[in-house]
Amino acid sequence: MTTNASDTKPASAPDAARVEAIIRGRMGDPFELLGPHRTEAGAMGLTVFAPDAAEVVAITPEGTQIAPLTRVNPEGVFWGELPDGFEFGTPYRLRMKAGSHEWERDDPYRFTPVLGEMDEYLVAEGRHEELWKRLGAHPIEHEGVQGVIFAVWAPNARRVSVVGHFNAWDGRRHPLRRRFGAGLWELFVPNLSVGDLYKFEIVGAHGDLQPLKADPMSFRQEQPPATGSIVHGMHKHDWQDDAWMESRSKGSLHDKPVSIYEVHLGSWRRGSDGEVLDYDVIGGLLVDYLQDMNFTHVEFMPVSEHPFTGSWGYQPVGLFAPTSRYGTPEQFAAMVDRLHQAGIGVIVDWVPAHFPTDAHGLANFDGTALYEHADPRQGFHQDWNTLIYNFGRNEVANFLRCSGTFWLDKYHIDALRVDAVASMLYLDYSRKEGEWIPNQYGGRENLDAIEFLKGTNTQVLARTPGAASIAEESTAFPGVSRPVDQGGLGFDFKWNMGWMHDSLSYIQEDPINRKYHHNQMTFSIHYAWSENFVLPISHDEVVHGKGSLLNKMPGDRWQKFANLRAYLGFMWTHPGKKLLFMGCEFGQEREWNHDISLDWHLLEDDKHKGTQSLVRDLNGLYRDEKALHALDCDPAGFEWVDGADDQRSIFAFLRRADSGTRPVLVISNMTPVAREDYRIGVPEGGDWVELLNTDDEAYGGSGVVNKGKIESRQEECHGRSVSLSLRLPPLATMILVPNR
């Protein structure tokens, strides 16, 4: 039972057993002994643990002596009786002396709790939607004194202490107050401030001392390989993106152009000596580049703090802390703000599926499988050697949901791209028979994870209107991007992994064989509106021996670039939002390496420069032509003109919007054979014009283009009464519209 300013359980001078518990670091609740207590005789006594002091005196805040304390144990426990009139809540300080050195400090054990009963209730229920405001480390003024309130969830711990340079990393000096209702621990430590380094020292459920733990809720952590948490408080950025946020809140992205540039912050660009750039420099360069390239959004691979750089951020330990590799939380916020002011949306990869086994992280946090499942058949991910969150535990699910909404709320992030959703949905994901545990109905679906994802998306929708969630999900699980109230998971979009695999498989074929694989480019239309899709060419396609996007293309150098341009043209006109990994836009030749910069010098070559110019123009066209984006998520936005010309490997289709918007005609010729007088049916007469041709000499092509106005003719073709005669370029995609 806690004895403190609100509890007057009688106590005498400390007995030997309690003193021994303090000096051995085994006191479960330090407020049972430390701080002011009422003696059996009714007087007030004060117990202090000060192993560095030879003398301790209680004084008033003004410095007047209240009472000297007596050392009752040679290892630094002091006790003294306080004068009449001293009550719980009476402010005091401690004056200490050792040799010629004298100092004063406030006593952490004189202060009342900061967390309230409602905090405990909401944490236990898993419904504390602003957990970051209460747990972690927060600089505050409490009862007239500046300091830091530390709070952490560790329900099975026997003791939790905060340690740092301020107490010589001695876990006996600042053990936390135990809040029995929800497994929370807290302590207000006076006179600490922003910048102080700390960790939690935890004695586990079985009495074993755990490795020092980083704060799961810290806003800032040391730069790896160091692993400490840093007192920071909420960042102090003065946001200037009101217009962007107001606009975001008024609608969804489904009918808008969404062209995403995926970026790894550590390797997009580096300094002249190969050094990593900070958020300020990267932000400035990115704004200029993205605006020039007409991308609507940037997607950052995980920015949450992570110990292993080679994980690219996909094994995080700090779900509330921007990685310190590139600067401070304020610098990260400023980068987001700068992007918004330039009209560029910001997406971050978010990883609630699993976490690493690093000793300072969440693993076995309080001596038990707290955040993870205890049974490795549920709690260990064999592919990545990571631990899987226990989504069925209220407190864990709440912790994760709060992490997601934290980035949207406090850092103005516009969308979360949720990593590894497939691994969350299925209990047998990447497991053999006997290596997984069925759900309560005997099935393979992870029902807890499904409810977690629904709850997260519901909370995102309620708390941050206009923000989006995007699932990286590779299976046929139904309704991923359907609203929760319609039986779906509630994501706004889902990555179209099927389109990606099929189209890359097709484009890697020698053109002479493509007629046998024609369906790989047409099959995606059969399910294109079963979900709201993003077409992803992500980092996963250019690593681990897969080669660069350019080097997936068959043929000689000319054909490789022609194939790449044709493929990008097909992708940008196919239904679905677009995502392209950095470097693919200019034909990076080698595989991506997270340790070095992209090869920007390649832009000195006309072929690479031309490919970059093509992506710039595709983005502009996709944004400006409503028919290319407004009905990305609606079958009314697409119509085949000829999807069956497998012998010539030609694909022709229309993109549409509303009746007042001109349609867009797209033709892709996936062989190196140029065709004169290629006739194609069109939905209306009059003149047509070619808006873009990937074979244009400006893009590094051969220049087989259709210049000027193209007159339609009353000649039936493809079931239409009106048609055009065109020059069809080799290995190219062309985009045409009525000249109106």
Side-chain angles (χ1 to χ4, degrees):
M1 179 176 179
T2 302
T3 307
N4 52 39
S6 60
D7 190 335
T8 58
K9 176 184 177 181
S12 59
D15 61 57
R18 287 185 171 182
V19 169
E20 185 71 11
I22 283 291
I23 62 177
R24 298 289 172 247
R26 298 294 171 176
M27 176 66 79
D29 186 355
F31 284 84
E32 291 183 0
L33 178 66
L34 300 179
H37 296 79
R38 195 169 297 282
T39 69
E40 293 179 353
M44 293 292 289
L46 176 63
T47 308
V48 172
F49 178 57
D52 291 341
E55 301 175 18
V56 178
V57 177
I59 61 175
T60 67
E62 295 75 27
T64 303
Q65 178 171 308
I66 297 174
L69 306 186
T70 302
R71 184 193 292 268
V72 297
N73 181 279
E75 295 198 42
V77 177
F78 293 80
W79 182 86
E81 187 170 307
L82 298 169
D84 292 342
F86 191 99
E87 298 292 340
F88 290 118
T90 300
Y92 67 91
R93 290 170 59 81
L94 300 172
R95 179 179 293 147
M96 301 182 180
K97 188 174 182 180
S100 61
H101 181 51
E102 185 173 291
W103 67 99
E104 295 181 7
R105 68 170 174 85
D106 285 286
D107 183 2
Y109 299 98
R110 79 166 176 86
F111 293 93
T112 57
V114 175
L115 297 180
E117 291 183 0
M118 184 56 71
D119 292 312
E120 291 187 282
Y121 172 75
L122 291 174
V123 167
E125 290 286 306
R127 295 193 293 113
H128 203 306
E129 294 187 2
E130 295 184 327
L131 200 62
W132 63 83
K133 289 185 176 181
R134 308 304 284 165
L135 300 190
H138 297 270
I140 63 169
E141 180 180 306
H142 185 45
E143 298 177 359
V145 177
Q146 296 291 332
V148 175
I149 174 65
F150 295 94
V152 65
W153 178 61
N156 303 303
R158 291 190 180 183
R159 171 177 64 81
V160 177
S161 298
V162 61
V163 295
H165 294 310
F166 55 87
N167 62 12
W169 299 91
D170 184 348
R172 303 173 303 164
R173 302 196 188 196
H174 288 96
L176 275 60
R177 180 197 307 268
R178 186 169 195 165
R179 303 293 297 263
F180 286 89
L184 299 178
W185 301 74
E186 66 157 304
L187 186 69
F188 175 72
V189 181
N191 311 124
L192 296 188
S193 59
V194 170
D196 280 314
L197 187 67
Y198 72 100
K199 282 187 174 182
F200 291 120
E201 181 180 281
I202 298 175
V203 175
H206 306 294
D208 47 334
L209 187 65
Q210 301 300 301
L212 293 181
K213 295 291 187 179
D215 182 357
M217 302 289 298
S218 67
F219 295 141
R220 188 177 181 188
Q221 294 190 10
E222 284 188 290
Q223 186 167 331
T227 57
S229 301
I230 300 173
V231 174
H232 195 77
M234 185 55 62
H235 64 75
K236 299 297 191 294
H237 180 68
D238 181 17
W239 292 95
Q240 302 296 315
D241 62 349
D242 291 353
W244 173 273
M245 297 298 287
E246 175 67 19
S247 174
R248 187 186 85 175
S249 69
K250 292 181 178 178
S252 76
L253 295 174
H254 295 119
D255 62 350
K256 295 180 176 63
V258 177
S259 177
I260 305 165
Y261 187 60
E262 187 188 21
V263 168
H264 177 260
L265 285 166
S267 58
W268 178 64
R269 286 185 186 270
R270 290 202 170 191
S272 57
D273 294 325
E275 71 273 17
V276 172
L277 305 177
D278 65 23
Y279 292 121
D280 291 334
V281 176
I282 296 171
L285 294 171
L286 262 178
V287 163
D288 292 342
Y289 189 69
L290 294 170
Q291 284 187 312
D292 175 61
M293 292 298 294
N294 294 317
F295 282 100
T296 65
H297 291 73
V298 61
E299 178 177 321
F300 294 124
M301 292 167 69
V303 296
S304 301
E305 194 58 84
H306 50 283
F308 178 43
T309 300
S311 76
W312 314 329
Y314 292 103
Q315 295 186 14
V317 296
L319 291 182
F320 295 80
T323 179
S324 57
R325 288 169 173 83
Y326 317 117
T328 67
E330 284 74 17
Q331 288 177 299
F332 177 75
M335 180 178 68
V336 174
D337 198 354
R338 191 170 185 176
L339 287 160
H340 280 173
Q341 291 179 63
I344 299 162
V346 181
I347 302 167
V348 297
D349 284 7
W350 181 57
V351 189
H354 61 124
F355 60 94
T357 58
D358 295 68
H360 71 283
L362 299 177
N364 206 48
F365 189 77
D366 65 356
T368 68
L370 184 63
Y371 286 87
E372 69 271 30
H373 285 280
D375 192 321
R377 292 175 296 173
Q378 295 174 294
F380 184 73
H381 200 297
Q382 300 172 109
D383 292 352
W384 302 317
N385 291 320
T386 53
L387 299 172
I388 300 169
Y389 287 105
N390 183 351
F391 303 109
R393 183 158 191 168
N394 288 341
E395 301 94 334
V396 174
N398 187 50
F399 166 78
L400 292 170
R401 283 195 302 270
C402 284
S403 165
T405 54
F406 171 81
W407 293 97
L408 301 173
D409 186 346
K410 296 304 176 184
Y411 283 106
H412 292 199
I413 299 302
D414 300 295
L416 301 173
R417 177 272 199 182
V418 184
D419 184 63
V421 172
S423 74
M424 299 170 69
L425 292 175
Y426 295 103
L427 296 165
D428 64 345
Y429 182 87
S430 196
R431 295 180 187 273
K432 299 175 183 177
E433 185 176 351
E435 295 179 345
W436 58 284
I437 300 175
N439 64 34
Q440 64 196 74
Y441 304 109
R444 57 194 287 259
E445 296 81 11
N446 189 333
L447 303 180
D448 291 333
I450 290 169
E451 289 308 307
F452 163 73
L453 291 169
K454 288 180 178 180
T456 299
N457 287 322
T458 298
Q459 190 162 307
V460 167
L461 182 65
R463 288 188 59 90
T464 53
S469 61
I470 304 167
E472 185 217 8
E473 203 285 311
S474 56
T475 74
F477 191 93
V480 171
S481 59
R482 293 293 174 263
V484 172
D485 60 9
Q486 296 179 23
L489 294 182
F491 286 94
D492 293 275
F493 297 99
K494 170 182 169 173
W495 275 19
N496 193 336
M497 309 295 276
W499 171 88
M500 179 270 294
H501 285 296
D502 287 348
S503 64
L504 286 179
S505 175
Y506 175 89
I507 204 67
Q508 290 177 81
E509 290 288 342
D510 188 295
I512 199 171
N513 296 323
R514 285 176 178 166
K515 61 185 177 182
Y516 305 115
H517 303 274
H518 198 76
N519 67 307
Q520 289 186 306
M521 294 290 266
T522 60
F523 181 67
S524 59
I525 297 301
H526 291 287
Y527 62 84
W529 299 281
S530 62
E531 302 278 2
N532 302 322
F533 281 122
V534 173
L535 309 182
I537 299 297
S538 74
H539 63 278
D540 279 328
E541 310 320 313
V542 295
V543 290
H544 299 322
K546 295 180 182 178
S548 68
L549 186 59
L550 175 65
N551 282 327
K552 295 181 193 301
M553 306 298 155
D556 58 22
R557 178 176 170 81
W558 187 93
Q559 289 185 333
K560 283 181 181 294
F561 276 98
N563 274 301
L564 176 59
R565 294 191 305 268
Y567 180 76
L568 291 171
F570 180 84
M571 172 182 174
W572 249 256
T573 53
H574 187 286
K577 309 307 180 184
K578 325 301 175 189
L579 179 140
L580 189 67
F581 184 58
M582 64 183 199
C584 295
E585 80 278 12
F586 61 78
Q588 172 87 5
E589 294 191 3
R590 60 169 174 82
E591 270 196 353
W592 170 56
N593 181 340
H594 69 268
D595 282 326
I596 59 177
S597 172
L598 296 179
D599 296 329
W600 293 99
H601 64 274
L602 294 175
L603 290 171
E604 298 170 9
D605 180 279
D606 287 343
K607 286 287 191 287
H608 293 282
K609 189 76 172 177
T611 303
Q612 184 192 49
S613 296
L614 171 65
V615 173
R616 179 189 295 112
D617 291 348
L618 283 170
N619 275 330
L621 199 62
Y622 172 66
R623 179 192 61 205
D624 295 340
E625 289 294 323
K626 189 176 179 181
L628 288 177
H629 65 258
L631 296 181
D632 268 337
C633 304
D634 188 324
F638 178 90
E639 181 183 351
W640 280 117
V641 176
D642 188 356
D645 193 352
D646 55 344
Q647 293 304 303
R648 296 189 292 180
S649 298
I650 295 173
F651 306 87
F653 55 87
L654 290 166
R655 295 298 309 277
R656 297 182 182 275
D658 53 72
S659 59
T661 300
R662 64 184 183 182
V664 173
L665 172 65
V666 181
I667 307 168
S668 291
N669 176 18
M670 293 300 185
T671 69
V673 179
R675 302 185 186 278
E676 299 290 338
D677 193 24
Y678 172 79
R679 186 155 294 280
I680 186 165
V682 291
E684 61 182 76
D687 295 335
W688 287 64
V689 293
E690 186 176 83
L691 293 183
L692 185 145
N693 186 322
T694 66
D695 193 49
D696 196 304
E697 290 180 354
Y699 306 137
S702 61
V704 178
V705 297
N706 296 270
K707 296 180 179 179
K709 297 178 182 178
I710 307 166
E711 295 183 11
S712 63
R713 182 189 301 178
Q714 290 291 324
E715 183 175 332
E716 186 174 352
C717 187
H718 297 114
R720 301 170 191 274
S721 60
V722 182
S723 60
L724 304 175
S725 175
L726 302 171
R727 302 181 73 203
L728 201 60
L731 293 173
T733 295
M734 52 198 295
I735 302 171
L736 304 97
V737 294
N739 187 30
R740 59 178 171 88

